[in-house]
Amino acid sequence: MDNMWIAALDPADRRRIEPHLHERPFAQGQMLYDAGEAVEEVWFPMSGVVSLMTILDGDRMIETAAIGREGLVGVTCGPMNARAASRAIAQVDGVSACCPSDVFAEALQASEPMRTALAKFTESLFAQVQQAAACNAQHRLDERLARWLLTIHDRADSNRFSLTQSDIAGMLGVRRATVSEVGAVLEGDGLIRRGRGWVEVKDRKALEAAACGCYDAMRGLMKDLGVPRPRVGTH
């Protein structure tokens, strides 16, 4: 699969970075970089999902954004080679095309259209972070869980993906037992199916209806900005 952000560039801009790309697989739970580290590579996921995590007291953390084939990871914390403000963790197994950050910085400096494309993506990502903060503070857990599952489903290659109750609890910043209870309700209503270490989306339309308005708000913003939108998973 291709990365949608790279694919949307003009051919001349793609040629600035494509010779420097190398593929790198990532596995669920793998940390691409940690908060405070220098970011030496830009990751362009071609499959899988990467979560940006905000670190809280006691090394607790909560997801503030998810990135898949539609975007890139490693340039949203400041100028090239800046230290990361968040932790990037693989949420769903995948493969990324990686580019040295200094090469990408040179390409940006040489191309105004590429700078514009990056600015649009970072604006949409910043809006996702803001929306997630408001969602976590104001909406019921069942709505948040439905919204989060839709976000992962959009970026996954299948209706079924590997997720444990602990994974979901960590992403949403709640107790595992609470996630289990709310997940049982969604499963009882036929929206999802769960097994040991996996979740399957069974009724996409019903899951959309169960989610808070944050999901549609973010999809609408990405459309307005003209940035690639993650494609809905196969169903």
Side-chain angles (χ1 to χ4, degrees), residues 77-92:
C77 55
M80 297 300 102
N81 299 318
R83 296 195 177 276
S86 59
R87 179 179 294 172
I89 295 180
Q91 192 59 241
V92 175

Side-chain angles (χ1 to χ4, degrees), residues 160-234:
R160 176 169 163 169
F161 29 88
S162 297
L163 284 174
T164 66
Q165 301 293 334
S166 295
D167 293 331
I168 299 172
M171 294 301 105
L172 298 177
V174 297
R175 293 169 50 246
R176 180 182 179 280
T178 305
V179 169
S180 182
E181 293 172 4
V182 176
V185 173
L186 295 182
E187 186 171 28
D189 291 338
L191 279 61
I192 63 173
R193 192 162 68 97
R194 301 177 300 166
R196 189 175 182 83
W198 57 267
V199 176
E200 181 179 3
V201 174
K202 295 295 292 181
D203 190 335
R204 169 83 191 195
K205 293 293 185 182
L207 195 61
E208 290 176 358
C212 57
C214 295
Y215 175 75
D216 284 339
M218 284 310 309
R219 296 280 299 184
L221 177 66
M222 295 179 78
K223 180 179 180 180
D224 291 342
L225 286 172
V227 299
R229 284 180 292 168
R231 296 168 182 169
V232 174
T234 305

